[in-house]
Amino acid sequence: MKEAIVDDTTSVVIRDVEIPTPKPGQVLIRVVVSGTNPKDWKVPKWQPNNTINQGDDIAGYVEAVGAGVQNFRAGDKVAAFHEMMTPNGSYAEYAIAWEHTTFHLTEKTSFEEAATIPLAAMTAALGLYQKLKFPLPWAPADKPIPLVVYGGASAVGAFAIKFAQLSNIHPIIAIAGKGAPFVETLISREKGDTIIDYREGDDAVYSAIKAAGKGDPIQYAYDAVSEKGSYVTLGAALDVPGKITVVLPADADKVPKQISIERTMVGAVHMHPAEGQTVGDKEFGAAFFQFIGRGLAQGWFSGHPYEVRKGGLGGIEGALKDLEAGKASAVKYLVKIAETDGVQQ
Protein backbone atom coordinates (compact mmCIF):
# COMPACT_ATOMS: atom_id res chain seq x y z
CA MET A 1 0.00 0.00 0.00
CA LYS A 2 0.99 3.68 -0.30
CA GLU A 3 1.93 5.58 2.82
CA ALA A 4 3.12 9.17 3.31
CA ILE A 5 5.72 10.13 5.91
CA VAL A 6 6.56 13.65 7.10
CA ASP A 7 10.06 14.86 8.01
CA ASP A 8 11.36 17.82 10.01
CA THR A 9 11.38 20.09 6.95
CA THR A 10 7.66 19.42 6.39
CA SER A 11 8.56 17.46 3.29
CA VAL A 12 6.46 14.40 2.48
CA VAL A 13 7.68 11.17 0.91
CA ILE A 14 5.25 8.53 -0.35
CA ARG A 15 6.51 4.97 -0.06
CA ASP A 16 5.23 1.43 -0.56
CA VAL A 17 4.77 -0.62 2.61
CA GLU A 18 2.92 -3.72 3.72
CA ILE A 19 -0.70 -3.46 4.86
CA PRO A 20 -0.66 -3.60 8.69
CA THR A 21 -2.38 -6.33 10.68
CA PRO A 22 -4.64 -5.27 13.56
CA LYS A 23 -3.61 -6.43 17.02
CA PRO A 24 -6.13 -7.44 19.69
CA GLY A 25 -8.51 -4.56 20.31
CA GLN A 26 -7.58 -2.80 17.07
CA VAL A 27 -9.46 -2.05 13.85
CA LEU A 28 -7.88 -1.95 10.37
CA ILE A 29 -9.57 0.76 8.29
CA ARG A 30 -9.40 1.32 4.54
CA VAL A 31 -8.94 5.07 4.55
CA VAL A 32 -11.17 7.05 2.22
CA VAL A 33 -10.42 10.53 3.58
CA SER A 34 -7.73 11.69 6.01
CA GLY A 35 -7.69 14.92 7.93
CA THR A 36 -4.59 16.98 8.66
CA ASN A 37 -3.65 18.74 11.90
CA PRO A 38 -1.05 21.32 12.98
CA LYS A 39 0.72 18.64 15.06
CA ASP A 40 1.52 16.80 11.83
CA TRP A 41 4.19 19.38 10.97
CA LYS A 42 5.08 20.33 14.53
CA VAL A 43 5.92 16.86 15.87
CA PRO A 44 8.57 16.08 13.19
CA LYS A 45 10.31 19.34 14.12
CA TRP A 46 10.17 18.50 17.83
CA GLN A 47 11.25 14.91 17.22
CA PRO A 48 13.36 14.94 14.01
CA ASN A 49 14.45 11.33 14.48
CA ASN A 50 10.84 10.13 14.58
CA THR A 51 9.91 10.35 10.89
CA ILE A 52 6.58 8.54 10.59
CA ASN A 53 3.14 8.71 9.03
CA GLN A 54 1.63 11.51 11.15
CA GLY A 55 -2.04 11.23 10.12
CA ASP A 56 -4.54 10.77 12.94
CA ASP A 57 -7.99 11.62 11.50
CA ILE A 58 -9.49 8.60 9.72
CA ALA A 59 -12.71 8.17 7.77
CA GLY A 60 -13.32 4.99 5.80
CA TYR A 61 -14.46 1.37 5.95
CA VAL A 62 -13.45 -1.37 8.36
CA GLU A 63 -11.26 -3.88 6.53
CA ALA A 64 -10.52 -6.25 9.40
CA VAL A 65 -10.61 -6.40 13.20
CA GLY A 66 -8.26 -7.78 15.80
CA ALA A 67 -9.08 -10.33 18.45
CA GLY A 68 -11.62 -9.21 21.01
CA VAL A 69 -13.18 -6.44 18.94
CA GLN A 70 -16.93 -6.66 19.50
CA ASN A 71 -18.56 -3.58 18.01
CA PHE A 72 -17.16 -3.49 14.47
CA ARG A 73 -16.96 -5.81 11.50
CA ALA A 74 -15.60 -5.65 7.96
CA GLY A 75 -17.55 -3.24 5.78
CA ASP A 76 -18.68 -0.88 8.55
CA LYS A 77 -18.52 2.82 7.68
CA VAL A 78 -16.52 4.51 10.43
CA ALA A 79 -14.42 7.42 11.60
CA ALA A 80 -11.56 6.98 14.06
CA PHE A 81 -8.76 8.65 15.96
CA HIS A 82 -5.41 6.98 15.30
CA GLU A 83 -3.04 6.75 18.26
CA MET A 84 -0.69 9.68 17.90
CA MET A 85 3.06 9.11 17.50
CA THR A 86 2.59 5.45 16.57
CA PRO A 87 2.94 3.73 13.17
CA ASN A 88 0.08 3.05 10.75
CA GLY A 89 -1.56 6.46 10.72
CA SER A 90 -4.17 7.85 8.33
CA TYR A 91 -1.75 9.12 5.68
CA ALA A 92 -2.04 5.76 3.96
CA GLU A 93 -4.39 3.43 2.14
CA TYR A 94 -4.98 1.53 5.37
CA ALA A 95 -4.70 2.73 8.97
CA ILE A 96 -4.97 1.26 12.45
CA ALA A 97 -7.15 2.56 15.28
CA TRP A 98 -8.23 1.16 18.63
CA GLU A 99 -11.82 0.01 18.97
CA HIS A 100 -12.55 2.56 21.71
CA THR A 101 -11.52 5.50 19.49
CA THR A 102 -13.60 4.34 16.50
CA PHE A 103 -17.25 5.21 15.92
CA HIS A 104 -19.88 4.28 13.37
CA LEU A 105 -21.10 6.58 10.63
CA THR A 106 -24.42 6.49 8.86
CA GLU A 107 -24.84 7.18 5.15
CA LYS A 108 -25.97 10.67 6.17
CA THR A 109 -22.44 11.70 7.14
CA SER A 110 -19.86 12.19 4.39
CA PHE A 111 -16.33 10.90 4.81
CA GLU A 112 -15.12 14.47 4.35
CA GLU A 113 -17.16 15.80 7.27
CA ALA A 114 -16.22 12.83 9.44
CA ALA A 115 -12.50 13.31 8.81
CA THR A 116 -12.62 16.79 10.35
CA ILE A 117 -13.77 15.47 13.71
CA PRO A 118 -11.74 12.89 15.69
CA LEU A 119 -8.63 14.67 16.98
CA ALA A 120 -10.00 18.21 17.23
CA ALA A 121 -13.41 17.34 18.66
CA MET A 122 -11.97 15.03 21.29
CA THR A 123 -9.38 17.65 22.27
CA ALA A 124 -12.23 20.10 22.76
CA ALA A 125 -14.27 17.61 24.77
CA LEU A 126 -11.42 16.59 27.05
CA GLY A 127 -10.60 20.21 27.81
CA LEU A 128 -14.17 21.21 28.60
CA TYR A 129 -15.23 18.19 30.60
CA GLN A 130 -12.13 16.52 32.02
CA LYS A 131 -10.07 19.66 32.71
CA LEU A 132 -12.55 22.50 33.22
CA LYS A 133 -15.17 20.11 34.67
CA PHE A 134 -18.14 21.68 32.91
CA PRO A 135 -21.58 20.02 33.01
CA LEU A 136 -21.92 17.30 30.39
CA PRO A 137 -24.36 17.76 27.48
CA TRP A 138 -26.83 15.23 28.91
CA ALA A 139 -26.90 17.14 32.22
CA PRO A 140 -26.58 20.76 31.00
CA ALA A 141 -25.93 23.80 33.15
CA ASP A 142 -28.97 25.44 34.73
CA LYS A 143 -27.29 28.76 35.45
CA PRO A 144 -24.87 31.03 33.56
CA ILE A 145 -21.23 29.89 33.42
CA PRO A 146 -19.11 32.31 31.36
CA LEU A 147 -16.47 30.68 29.14
CA VAL A 148 -13.73 32.33 27.10
CA VAL A 149 -12.63 30.38 24.00
CA TYR A 150 -9.42 31.72 22.50
CA GLY A 151 -9.18 30.63 18.86
CA GLY A 152 -12.89 30.21 18.20
CA ALA A 153 -12.43 29.66 14.47
CA SER A 154 -9.87 26.88 14.90
CA ALA A 155 -11.18 23.34 14.73
CA VAL A 156 -10.57 22.75 18.45
CA GLY A 157 -12.04 26.11 19.42
CA ALA A 158 -15.09 25.67 17.20
CA PHE A 159 -15.81 22.22 18.60
CA ALA A 160 -15.39 23.63 22.12
CA ILE A 161 -18.06 26.20 21.32
CA LYS A 162 -20.37 23.53 19.87
CA PHE A 163 -20.04 21.36 22.96
CA ALA A 164 -20.48 24.36 25.24
CA GLN A 165 -23.75 25.09 23.45
CA LEU A 166 -24.91 21.51 24.03
CA SER A 167 -24.03 21.91 27.73
CA ASN A 168 -25.87 25.26 27.93
CA ILE A 169 -22.68 27.07 28.92
CA HIS A 170 -23.16 30.82 28.39
CA PRO A 171 -22.09 33.47 27.83
CA ILE A 172 -19.45 32.20 25.40
CA ILE A 173 -16.79 34.83 24.80
CA ALA A 174 -15.08 33.75 21.58
CA ILE A 175 -11.80 35.29 20.51
CA ALA A 176 -11.19 35.14 16.77
CA GLY A 177 -9.77 37.08 13.82
CA LYS A 178 -10.67 36.72 10.17
CA GLY A 179 -12.66 33.59 11.05
CA ALA A 180 -15.15 35.67 13.06
CA PRO A 181 -17.99 35.34 10.48
CA PHE A 182 -17.79 31.56 10.88
CA VAL A 183 -17.74 31.83 14.68
CA GLU A 184 -20.86 34.01 14.45
CA THR A 185 -22.73 30.94 13.13
CA LEU A 186 -21.78 28.98 16.26
CA ILE A 187 -22.69 31.35 19.09
CA SER A 188 -26.01 32.54 20.54
CA ARG A 189 -26.12 36.31 20.86
CA GLU A 190 -29.49 36.09 22.61
CA LYS A 191 -27.77 34.20 25.45
CA GLY A 192 -25.05 36.81 25.86
CA ASP A 193 -22.41 35.22 23.61
CA THR A 194 -19.99 37.57 21.89
CA ILE A 195 -16.85 37.69 19.70
CA ILE A 196 -13.63 39.59 20.40
CA ASP A 197 -11.12 40.37 17.62
CA TYR A 198 -7.61 39.43 18.77
CA ARG A 199 -6.13 41.53 15.95
CA GLU A 200 -6.89 44.64 17.98
CA GLY A 201 -4.10 43.70 20.41
CA ASP A 202 -3.72 42.12 23.84
CA ASP A 203 -4.84 45.21 25.76
CA ALA A 204 -8.02 45.43 23.73
CA VAL A 205 -8.70 41.71 24.22
CA TYR A 206 -8.16 42.08 27.97
CA SER A 207 -10.56 45.03 28.17
CA ALA A 208 -13.18 43.31 26.01
CA ILE A 209 -13.14 40.17 28.16
CA LYS A 210 -13.63 42.26 31.28
CA ALA A 211 -16.49 44.16 29.64
CA ALA A 212 -18.16 40.97 28.43
CA GLY A 213 -18.67 39.84 32.01
CA LYS A 214 -20.88 42.84 32.75
CA GLY A 215 -19.74 42.73 36.35
CA ASP A 216 -20.08 38.95 36.79
CA PRO A 217 -16.92 36.90 37.37
CA ILE A 218 -15.34 35.14 34.38
CA GLN A 219 -13.26 32.25 35.69
CA TYR A 220 -12.87 29.74 32.86
CA ALA A 221 -11.01 29.77 29.55
CA TYR A 222 -10.23 27.26 26.82
CA ASP A 223 -7.11 28.39 24.96
CA ALA A 224 -7.19 26.54 21.65
CA VAL A 225 -4.20 28.58 20.42
CA SER A 226 -1.75 28.59 23.34
CA GLU A 227 0.82 30.65 21.44
CA LYS A 228 2.03 34.25 21.20
CA GLY A 229 1.00 35.11 24.73
CA SER A 230 -2.63 34.04 24.42
CA TYR A 231 -2.80 32.30 27.81
CA VAL A 232 -0.94 35.19 29.45
CA THR A 233 -3.65 37.58 28.30
CA LEU A 234 -6.33 35.16 29.50
CA GLY A 235 -4.61 34.78 32.88
CA ALA A 236 -4.64 38.54 33.36
CA ALA A 237 -8.27 38.89 32.30
CA LEU A 238 -9.86 36.06 34.28
CA ASP A 239 -11.27 36.58 37.73
CA VAL A 240 -9.72 34.57 40.54
CA PRO A 241 -9.81 31.78 41.32
CA GLY A 242 -9.73 30.95 37.63
CA LYS A 243 -8.80 28.05 35.39
CA ILE A 244 -7.33 27.84 31.88
CA THR A 245 -6.81 24.77 29.78
CA VAL A 246 -4.24 24.99 26.98
CA VAL A 247 -3.36 22.72 24.06
CA LEU A 248 0.40 23.37 24.05
CA PRO A 249 2.96 23.55 26.87
CA ALA A 250 2.55 26.68 29.00
CA ASP A 251 4.56 28.42 31.72
CA ALA A 252 2.37 28.60 34.82
CA ASP A 253 4.61 31.35 36.24
CA LYS A 254 3.29 33.73 33.57
CA VAL A 255 -0.23 33.76 35.01
CA PRO A 256 -1.38 34.84 38.50
CA LYS A 257 -1.01 32.21 41.21
CA GLN A 258 -4.76 31.98 41.68
CA ILE A 259 -5.20 31.07 38.01
CA SER A 260 -4.56 27.37 37.46
CA ILE A 261 -3.37 26.30 34.05
CA GLU A 262 -3.60 22.75 32.77
CA ARG A 263 -2.74 21.21 29.43
CA THR A 264 -5.29 19.15 27.49
CA MET A 265 -3.57 16.26 25.72
CA VAL A 266 -5.82 14.27 23.41
CA GLY A 267 -3.39 11.36 23.43
CA ALA A 268 -4.64 10.64 26.94
CA VAL A 269 -7.63 8.80 25.46
CA HIS A 270 -5.23 5.98 24.65
CA MET A 271 -3.87 5.72 28.21
CA HIS A 272 -5.15 3.52 31.01
CA PRO A 273 -6.44 5.39 34.07
CA ALA A 274 -4.12 5.69 37.02
CA GLU A 275 -4.32 2.98 39.63
CA GLY A 276 -7.34 3.53 41.85
CA GLN A 277 -8.99 5.93 39.39
CA THR A 278 -12.43 4.71 38.36
CA VAL A 279 -12.94 6.74 35.19
CA GLY A 280 -10.06 8.17 33.19
CA ASP A 281 -9.61 9.95 29.90
CA LYS A 282 -9.59 6.62 28.04
CA GLU A 283 -13.06 5.71 29.29
CA PHE A 284 -14.29 9.25 28.70
CA GLY A 285 -13.01 9.09 25.13
CA ALA A 286 -14.66 5.74 24.48
CA ALA A 287 -18.03 7.06 25.65
CA PHE A 288 -17.76 10.46 24.02
CA PHE A 289 -16.79 9.19 20.57
CA GLN A 290 -20.02 7.19 20.57
CA PHE A 291 -21.89 10.34 21.66
CA ILE A 292 -20.38 12.20 18.70
CA GLY A 293 -21.46 9.42 16.36
CA ARG A 294 -25.03 9.68 17.67
CA GLY A 295 -24.96 13.44 17.20
CA LEU A 296 -23.89 13.10 13.58
CA ALA A 297 -26.57 10.49 12.90
CA GLN A 298 -29.32 12.54 14.56
CA GLY A 299 -28.24 15.90 13.18
CA TRP A 300 -27.48 17.83 16.36
CA PHE A 301 -23.72 17.70 15.86
CA SER A 302 -21.64 18.50 12.78
CA GLY A 303 -18.06 18.61 11.60
CA HIS A 304 -15.81 21.54 10.70
CA PRO A 305 -15.62 23.39 7.37
CA TYR A 306 -13.08 21.72 5.12
CA GLU A 307 -11.06 22.00 1.93
CA VAL A 308 -10.00 18.90 0.00
CA ARG A 309 -6.45 19.25 -1.30
CA LYS A 310 -5.76 17.77 -4.71
CA GLY A 311 -3.51 14.78 -5.31
CA GLY A 312 -4.42 12.52 -2.44
CA LEU A 313 -1.35 11.71 -0.36
CA GLY A 314 0.56 13.97 -2.74
CA GLY A 315 -1.44 16.92 -1.43
CA ILE A 316 -0.35 16.50 2.19
CA GLU A 317 2.89 18.44 1.89
CA GLY A 318 1.17 21.56 0.56
CA ALA A 319 -1.53 21.30 3.21
CA LEU A 320 0.99 21.02 6.04
CA LYS A 321 3.10 23.87 4.72
CA ASP A 322 -0.03 26.04 4.61
CA LEU A 323 -0.83 25.03 8.18
CA GLU A 324 2.72 25.90 9.20
CA ALA A 325 2.41 29.30 7.49
CA GLY A 326 -0.80 30.00 9.40
CA LYS A 327 -2.97 30.19 6.29
CA ALA A 328 -5.79 28.03 7.61
CA SER A 329 -8.72 29.88 9.16
CA ALA A 330 -12.05 28.19 9.88
CA VAL A 331 -11.04 25.26 7.68
CA LYS A 332 -9.60 21.75 7.92
CA TYR A 333 -7.43 20.48 5.08
CA LEU A 334 -8.34 16.97 3.90
CA VAL A 335 -7.00 14.48 1.35
CA LYS A 336 -8.83 11.73 -0.53
CA ILE A 337 -6.62 8.66 -0.65
CA ALA A 338 -8.06 7.44 -3.98
CA GLU A 339 -6.63 10.54 -5.70
CA THR A 340 -3.07 9.38 -4.95
CA ASP A 341 -1.00 8.37 -7.96
CA GLY A 342 -0.75 4.59 -8.09
CA VAL A 343 -3.69 3.94 -5.77
CA GLN A 344 -6.70 2.00 -6.97
CA GLN A 345 -9.65 2.03 -4.55
Side-chain angles (χ1 to χ4, degrees):
M1 71 171 189
K2 302 291 185 183
E3 176 186 58
I5 59 173
V6 185
D7 68 18
D8 60 346
T9 67
T10 320
S11 296
V12 174
V13 175
I14 300 173
R15 62 185 184 182
D16 290 303
V17 298
E18 295 294 322
I19 297 174
T21 300
K23 298 177 181 178
Q26 292 183 336
V27 179
L28 175 67
I29 300 169
R30 175 167 64 85
V31 185
V32 177
V33 179
S34 172
T36 66
N37 290 285
K39 65 145 281 278
D40 300 347
W41 67 263
K42 292 178 180 180
V43 169
K45 292 184 182 298
W46 297 338
Q47 302 176 4
N49 295 324
N50 189 19
T51 302
I52 61 172
N53 168 353
Q54 292 288 344
D56 295 319
D57 284 330
I58 308 167
Y61 293 104
V62 173
E63 182 74 12
V65 300
V69 172
Q70 298 180 353
N71 297 317
F72 300 94
R73 60 183 180 181
D76 286 355
K77 182 181 179 181
V78 297
F81 174 42
H82 166 260
E83 185 173 0
M84 297 164 62
M85 268 69 109
T86 67
N88 307 315
S90 64
Y91 291 164
E93 293 182 66
Y94 294 89
I96 292 285
W98 291 97
E99 180 180 22
H100 73 277
T101 60
T102 304
F103 55 98
H104 286 99
L105 301 174
T106 66
E107 290 306 312
K108 176 181 178 180
T109 303
S110 70
F111 288 120
E112 290 84 355
E113 180 182 14
T116 70
I117 292 170
L119 185 150
M122 185 52 62
T123 304
L126 285 170
L128 283 181
Y129 303 118
Q130 295 291 86
K131 300 301 182 182
L132 297 180
K133 306 296 185 184
F134 280 132
L136 289 157
W138 46 87
D142 57 6
K143 61 181 180 181
I145 309 176
L147 169 67
V148 183
V149 178
Y150 203 117
S154 69
V156 172
F159 283 126
I161 293 172
K162 290 180 180 182
F163 290 138
Q165 288 272 19
L166 291 173
S167 291
N168 196 34
I169 297 166
H170 297 283
I172 297 168
I173 303 159
I175 301 173
K178 62 182 179 180
F182 164 63
V183 177
E184 192 70 46
T185 69
L186 306 178
I187 65 171
S188 299
R189 291 278 183 178
E190 71 278 8
K191 296 182 179 181
D193 298 350
T194 191
I195 300 173
I196 297 170
D197 191 337
Y198 71 84
R199 295 172 296 184
E200 296 181 2
D202 292 344
D203 289 343
V205 170
Y206 169 88
S207 298
I209 292 174
K210 287 295 189 184
K214 298 181 179 179
D216 293 328
I218 300 175
Q219 297 173 295
Y220 300 98
Y222 195 124
D223 187 352
V225 176
S226 308
E227 292 181 312
K228 300 178 181 178
S230 55
Y231 67 86
V232 177
T233 301
L234 290 172
L238 290 186
D239 293 287
V240 297
K243 192 167 187 177
I244 306 170
T245 188
V246 294
V247 295
L248 294 174
D251 184 353
D253 292 336
K254 292 186 177 181
V255 299
K257 290 185 177 180
Q258 289 181 286
I259 302 292
S260 65
I261 189 163
E262 210 173 342
R263 185 179 176 189
T264 294
M265 299 179 67
V266 68
V269 298
H270 289 110
M271 298 169 63
H272 292 284
E275 185 177 354
Q277 185 179 356
T278 56
V279 178
D281 290 342
K282 180 178 179 180
E283 284 70 23
F284 174 85
F288 215 85
F289 272 127
Q290 306 315 309
F291 176 74
I292 288 171
R294 289 176 60 83
L296 289 169
Q298 296 174 18
W300 45 261
F301 184 73
S302 61
H304 198 65
Y306 59 83
E307 175 187 320
V308 178
R309 308 305 289 258
K310 295 181 179 179
L313 296 176
I316 292 172
E317 181 172 319
L320 296 186
K321 287 184 181 297
D322 283 351
L323 285 175
E324 185 176 5
K327 294 182 179 180
S329 176
V331 67
K332 284 273 282 185
Y333 297 140
L334 311 178
V335 295
K336 294 182 177 180
I337 306 304
E339 295 181 357
T340 308
D341 286 342
V343 167
Q344 295 181 348
Q345 284 198 350

